[in-house]
Amino acid sequence: MNKDRKLIIAGNWKMNKTVAEALDLVHGLKRELASVKEVDVVVCPPFTALSEVSRAILDSNIRLGAQNMSEHSGGAYTGEIAAVMLKEFSVRYVVLGHSERRQYQKESNALIAAKAAAALTAALKPIICIGETLQEREAGATEKVLEGQLRGSLASLNKDQMEEAILAYEPVWAIGTGKNATADQAQAAHAFIRRTLAGMFDEPTARRARIQYGGSVKPANARELMRQPDVDGALVGGASLELRSFSDIVKNSI
Ligand code: 13P
């Protein structure tokens, strides 16, 4: 395997974990992953746990991500969180356009592009999620859907900004279902994403782009998925909520 891109293994905890539970998990992760240098490990707790988790990981190699942010820099937007507020807790990454937010909050590609621009302006690395539904896959529309999401969600980014951004391919049918994309399916989608990026930006930018896979990543399938040449990391949901499974995913990815 010849990968010049360092893997990023990120845990998206979604709407889970009280502060006490979050601290319990990160203290365990610090112990388990103390010697891991080969991958960047990121945890994405809910907003309410960012402050405490941030303090707990200060002296570790674990980095902090948020699960969403506003496209606005501040003002009269009740219930929203601005990039500058995340920065207070040393947040470095922010998940944007997760399929759950596309579905339940009706987030559009245009909104995600605006959020990505706001994140990059604040020097946060956006992890921009794309992925097809089962219906779209079965209709043979996977590539068309991915291309539309890429062109829409990255519309605000120039080449330099793309270097800072991260993509996550998360087929909707694989999220929380226990049914992951096979290594071949993931590789084919990631290669297509990289080709599309080459057309939108240029070859070197596409080659350097980080493309994570998400959707039922587990210790048992992490190795095979991470071995694919165009898979540069993982965005893990359910299996990142538990110490043993998340640390095993990280270790199996090395
Ligand atoms: P699962 O790992 O639970 O399938 O979730 C994936 C995901 O949505 C990560 O953002």
Side-chain angles (χ1 to χ4, degrees):
M1 184 170 61
N2 174 24
K3 289 200 182 191
D4 49 4
R5 300 173 296 272
K6 199 173 177 191
L7 293 178
I8 303 174
I9 310 292
N12 173 8
W13 297 354
K14 308 191 180 181
M15 198 171 73
N16 295 290
K17 305 284 182 200
T18 62
V19 171
E21 290 165 347
L23 287 176
D24 204 40
L25 179 52
V26 286
H27 286 135
L29 288 171
K30 273 171 70 173
R31 262 194 328 271
E32 283 289 324
L33 304 177
S35 59
V36 171
K37 303 277 182 288
E38 297 88 342
V39 301
D40 288 328
V41 179
V42 182
V43 292
C44 306
F47 290 127
T48 46
L50 286 175
S51 170
E52 298 272 346
V53 170
S54 171
R55 251 194 298 269
I57 60 177
L58 264 182
D59 57 343
S60 81
N61 50 4
I62 299 169
R63 301 282 170 252
L64 194 57
Q67 298 175 20
N68 178 39
M69 57 167 261
S70 173
E71 72 277 26
H72 301 291
S73 56
Y77 300 100
T78 302
E80 294 292 304
I81 306 278
V84 65
M85 298 166 183
L86 299 178
K87 300 279 290 185
E88 281 190 294
F89 304 119
S90 307
V91 169
R92 297 196 188 187
Y93 298 83
V94 59
V95 177
L96 296 179
H98 191 282
S99 63
E100 287 149 16
R101 295 199 61 85
R102 289 180 185 261
Q103 183 185 352
Y104 303 129
Q105 276 77 32
K106 307 283 177 263
E107 290 200 356
S108 66
N109 288 322
L111 176 65
I112 295 157
K115 290 185 178 197
L120 288 159
T121 300
L124 288 171
K125 290 179 183 296
I127 303 177
I128 300 162
C129 303
I130 59 171
E132 81 287 0
T133 62
L134 184 60
Q135 207 180 15
E136 289 162 342
R137 175 164 280 265
E138 287 176 343
T142 298
E143 294 192 348
K144 186 165 158 270
V145 169
L146 294 180
E147 179 166 359
Q149 291 175 333
L150 282 171
R151 291 193 181 276
S153 311
L154 303 180
S156 60
L157 272 59
N158 62 34
K159 247 190 299 190
D160 290 341
Q161 291 175 313
M162 189 58 222
E163 302 274 346
E164 299 302 315
I166 297 155
L167 285 165
Y169 169 61
E170 299 207 306
V172 178
W173 48 270
I175 295 178
T177 59
K179 186 171 180 265
N180 61 286
T182 64
D184 285 350
Q185 285 172 323
Q187 170 54 27
H190 284 226
F192 172 77
I193 292 167
R194 210 176 290 285
R195 278 200 305 281
T196 306
L197 293 176
M200 291 171 61
F201 299 94
D202 58 21
E203 279 289 342
T205 307
R207 213 169 29 245
R208 285 194 292 270
R210 311 280 202 96
I211 312 172
Q212 293 172 286
Y213 168 79
S216 297
V217 176
K218 301 181 274 289
N221 60 27
R223 196 184 306 275
E224 186 61 14
L225 285 162
M226 295 310 115
R227 196 178 272 153
Q228 303 309 307
D230 286 297
V231 177
D232 305 316
L235 186 53
V236 187
S240 74
L241 296 174
E242 204 259 320
L243 174 61
R244 187 76 274 141
S245 52
F246 191 50
S247 46
D248 282 351
I249 287 171
V250 172
K251 289 173 188 169
N252 291 355
S253 300
I254 295 169

